[in-house]
Short mmCIF file of all heavy atoms in Angstrom, two decimals:
data_model
loop_
_atom_site.label_atom_id
_atom_site.label_comp_id
_atom_site.label_asym_id
_atom_site.label_seq_id
_atom_site.Cartn_x
_atom_site.Cartn_y
_atom_site.Cartn_z
N ARG A 563 96.00 88.64 130.61
CA ARG A 563 94.83 89.51 131.12
C ARG A 563 95.41 90.64 132.00
O ARG A 563 94.94 91.68 131.89
CB ARG A 563 93.89 88.61 131.95
CG ARG A 563 92.65 89.28 132.34
CD ARG A 563 91.68 88.34 132.97
NE ARG A 563 91.35 87.14 132.15
CZ ARG A 563 90.61 86.20 132.53
NH1 ARG A 563 90.16 86.05 133.82
NH2 ARG A 563 90.41 85.18 131.61
N ALA A 564 96.46 90.30 132.75
CA ALA A 564 97.20 91.39 133.61
C ALA A 564 97.79 92.38 132.80
O ALA A 564 97.75 93.56 132.94
CB ALA A 564 97.89 90.78 134.65
N LEU A 565 98.47 91.80 131.64
CA LEU A 565 99.27 92.71 130.83
C LEU A 565 98.41 93.67 130.08
O LEU A 565 98.80 94.91 129.98
CB LEU A 565 100.03 91.79 129.79
CG LEU A 565 101.37 91.28 130.27
CD1 LEU A 565 102.04 90.34 129.12
CD2 LEU A 565 102.35 92.40 130.58
N LEU A 566 97.37 93.23 129.62
CA LEU A 566 96.42 94.13 128.74
C LEU A 566 95.68 95.17 129.64
O LEU A 566 95.31 96.24 129.13
CB LEU A 566 95.31 93.21 128.16
CG LEU A 566 95.82 92.30 127.06
CD1 LEU A 566 94.54 91.56 126.47
CD2 LEU A 566 96.53 93.01 125.95
N VAL A 567 95.58 95.00 130.94
CA VAL A 567 95.24 95.96 131.80
C VAL A 567 96.20 97.15 132.01
O VAL A 567 95.81 98.35 132.09
CB VAL A 567 94.72 95.40 133.22
CG1 VAL A 567 94.43 96.46 134.16
CG2 VAL A 567 93.67 94.46 133.18
N LEU A 568 97.50 96.67 132.03
CA LEU A 568 98.60 97.60 132.28
C LEU A 568 99.07 98.28 130.95
O LEU A 568 99.78 99.25 131.07
CB LEU A 568 99.70 96.94 132.86
CG LEU A 568 99.43 96.30 134.26
CD1 LEU A 568 100.63 95.60 134.82
CD2 LEU A 568 99.07 97.29 135.27
N VAL A 569 98.67 97.82 129.82
CA VAL A 569 99.18 98.29 128.52
C VAL A 569 98.73 99.78 128.29
O VAL A 569 97.44 99.96 128.39
CB VAL A 569 98.91 97.41 127.31
CG1 VAL A 569 99.14 98.09 125.96
CG2 VAL A 569 99.66 96.08 127.39
N PRO A 570 99.62 100.66 128.05
CA PRO A 570 99.13 101.97 127.77
C PRO A 570 98.42 102.18 126.49
O PRO A 570 98.64 101.32 125.61
CB PRO A 570 100.39 102.85 127.73
CG PRO A 570 101.49 101.85 127.45
CD PRO A 570 101.07 100.56 128.06
N ALA A 571 97.58 103.23 126.43
CA ALA A 571 96.72 103.33 125.22
C ALA A 571 97.51 103.55 123.91
O ALA A 571 97.15 103.33 122.78
CB ALA A 571 95.83 104.51 125.34
N GLU A 572 98.80 104.08 124.01
CA GLU A 572 99.49 104.40 122.75
C GLU A 572 100.18 103.11 122.10
O GLU A 572 100.74 103.27 121.05
CB GLU A 572 100.75 105.42 123.12
CG GLU A 572 101.78 104.85 124.06
CD GLU A 572 102.78 105.82 124.33
OE1 GLU A 572 102.44 106.93 124.85
OE2 GLU A 572 103.94 105.53 124.13
N VAL A 573 100.06 101.96 122.75
CA VAL A 573 100.58 100.68 122.09
C VAL A 573 99.44 100.37 121.01
O VAL A 573 98.31 100.17 121.41
CB VAL A 573 100.69 99.50 123.15
CG1 VAL A 573 101.04 98.23 122.48
CG2 VAL A 573 101.64 99.99 124.16
N PRO A 574 99.89 100.29 119.75
CA PRO A 574 98.86 100.02 118.76
C PRO A 574 98.36 98.62 118.73
O PRO A 574 99.05 97.63 119.29
CB PRO A 574 99.63 100.29 117.42
CG PRO A 574 101.14 99.95 117.78
CD PRO A 574 101.23 100.37 119.37
N ARG A 575 97.17 98.46 118.25
CA ARG A 575 96.58 97.06 117.90
C ARG A 575 96.41 96.16 119.07
O ARG A 575 96.52 95.01 119.02
CB ARG A 575 97.40 96.45 116.84
CG ARG A 575 97.83 97.22 115.67
CD ARG A 575 98.72 96.53 114.76
NE ARG A 575 98.21 95.43 114.06
CZ ARG A 575 98.88 94.56 113.36
NH1 ARG A 575 100.15 94.67 113.40
NH2 ARG A 575 98.26 93.54 112.74
N VAL A 576 96.20 96.67 120.29
CA VAL A 576 95.99 96.00 121.51
C VAL A 576 94.75 95.04 121.29
O VAL A 576 94.77 93.97 121.91
CB VAL A 576 96.01 96.87 122.73
CG1 VAL A 576 95.67 96.03 124.02
CG2 VAL A 576 97.22 97.59 122.89
N ALA A 577 93.79 95.66 120.65
CA ALA A 577 92.55 94.86 120.52
C ALA A 577 92.86 93.50 119.74
O ALA A 577 92.05 92.52 119.97
CB ALA A 577 91.55 95.62 119.83
#
Side-chain angles (χ1 to χ4, degrees):
R563 189 175 302 175
L565 276 175
L566 294 181
V567 172
L568 299 175
V569 167
E572 66 181 55
V573 176
R575 310 172 71 193
V576 174

